[in-house]
Amino acid sequence: SQQGEEDPQALSIQEGENATMNCSYKTSINNLQWYRQNSGRGLVHLILIRSNEREKHSGRLRVTLDTSKKSSSLLITASRAADTASYFCATKETSGSRLTFGEGTQLTVNP
Amino acid sequence: GAGVSQSPSNKVTEKGKDVELRCDPISGHTALYWYRQSLGQGLEFLIYFQGNSAPDKSGLPSDRFSAERTGGSVSTLTIQRTQQEDSAVYLCASSLSAVQNTEAFFGQGTRLTVV
C-alpha cells in the first residue's frame, strides 16, 4: 500500500477560503515533501519539511509535521482559482532513498 | 537542459509491441526516478537510480518492465509485450541526490496508450 495517504481525496472551496489537506504515512522518514500537479502531467515541488522540523512556511503555504502521529498537513491560505490542482505528499524513508507518493487530494477553488 | 525532458510526449502502441520511453534528467543530478500514474490515481513507484549504485527495481510490476541509465545520465524505460493495463502516464524525475534532503524535478511525462 502507499506510504503516504492524503485526506480528503477531494476538496471544493470558494476563492479566498483556506484549504487544508492532510497526509499520513507509516514508516520513519528523513523528510516529507508536498507537490502540486496540474492536468495529470509533471509535478511541481512546493515545500520540503525535514523530520526534525515541526512547521514551515512558504508564501501562502504552511506545512506542519507531527512525527509522533506520522502525519502532515498542508494549508493554503486565501486560495485562488489558480490553486486548483492535485496535491500530493511524498515521503523519503530513513531506510532507503525511495520517494513514495500518496494518492493525492484534488483541490477545486471556485471563483 | 533547463529541466527534465521526456520523450515521446504521447505514444500509442498495439498490444504485444515493445515500447521505449526516454528520460533526460537535469545535468548533474545523480538520482533518477520512474513512476507510473493511472488516470486519477497517485504515483506508483517503479525504479530509481542513484549514481553508480545498483538501482532499486523493487517497484517494477513484472519482468516485462526494465530500465537502464547509461553513463549516469539518460534513462530508458522499456516495456515488452505491452498490455492494455500498461496504459498510463509514465513520469520521470531527477534530483541532486536521492539521500540528502533535496527536491525532485519532474518531466512532463509520456502518456502511453495500448490499443
Side-chain angles (χ1 to χ4, degrees):
Chain A
S1 62
Q2 291 283 341
Q3 159 77 324
E5 296 182 1
E6 284 91 339
D7 165 52
Q9 289 187 323
L11 180 61
S12 182
I13 59 174
Q14 295 300 121
E15 211 165 23
E17 294 180 340
N18 296 340
T20 300
M21 289 160 271
N22 302 297
C23 169
S24 61
Y25 58 92
K26 295 180 174 64
T27 64
S28 296
I29 60 172
N30 276 328
N31 65 67
L32 186 143
Q33 306 176 32
W34 285 90
Y35 288 80
R36 167 193 167 126
Q37 183 181 41
N38 288 79
S39 306
R41 286 293 189 152
L43 280 73
V44 175
H45 180 265
L46 295 176
I47 196 166
L48 180 153
I49 185 166
R50 292 177 170 79
S51 59
N52 61 354
E53 297 177 312
R54 291 297 167 257
E55 188 171 314
K56 203 162 184 179
H57 297 253
S58 177
R60 292 184 297 113
L61 305 180
R62 172 177 170 257
V63 170
T64 62
L65 178 64
D66 187 336
T67 53
S68 67
K69 295 181 180 178
K70 290 186 168 54
S71 67
S72 173
S73 67
L74 170 67
L75 169 67
I76 304 174
T77 60
S79 63
R80 306 165 182 168
D83 294 329
T84 295
S86 292
Y87 292 82
F88 294 88
C89 69
T91 52
K92 183 70 69 70
E93 299 174 27
T94 55
S95 60
S97 295
R98 177 188 298 203
L99 187 61
T100 305
F101 286 80
E103 297 296 317
T105 292
Q106 173 61 51
L107 173 66
T108 302
V109 181
N110 302 298
Chain B
V4 178
S5 177
Q6 291 189 246
S7 60
S9 297
N10 292 281
K11 175 73 176 178
V12 180
T13 189
E14 292 181 351
K15 178 181 173 182
K17 295 285 180 68
D18 298 350
V19 295
E20 282 189 356
L21 313 179
R22 177 186 169 104
C23 173
D24 279 276
I26 293 173
S27 178
H29 280 194
T30 59
L32 186 147
Y33 303 83
W34 282 100
Y35 294 90
R36 176 169 73 173
Q37 186 179 31
S38 299
L39 187 64
Q41 302 297 310
L43 275 69
E44 176 188 2
F45 168 80
L46 297 178
I47 186 171
Y48 92 83
F49 300 86
Q50 169 58 47
N52 296 321
S53 302
D56 178 351
K57 303 180 180 181
S58 59
L60 295 177
S62 77
D63 59 9
R64 296 187 295 105
F65 288 72
S66 63
E68 290 185 339
R69 189 177 186 193
T70 55
S73 182
V74 172
S75 177
T76 302
L77 176 68
T78 301
I79 309 173
Q80 296 178 310
R81 304 181 302 281
T82 52
Q83 304 294 313
Q84 288 186 330
E85 60 263 29
D86 299 334
S87 295
V89 175
Y90 289 81
L91 292 162
C92 173
S94 70
S95 68
L96 273 173
S97 169
V99 177
Q100 296 177 8
N101 291 309
T102 56
E103 65 187 274
F105 293 83
F106 279 81
Q108 289 302 301
T110 294
R111 185 179 301 278
L112 175 67
T113 303
V114 182
V115 298

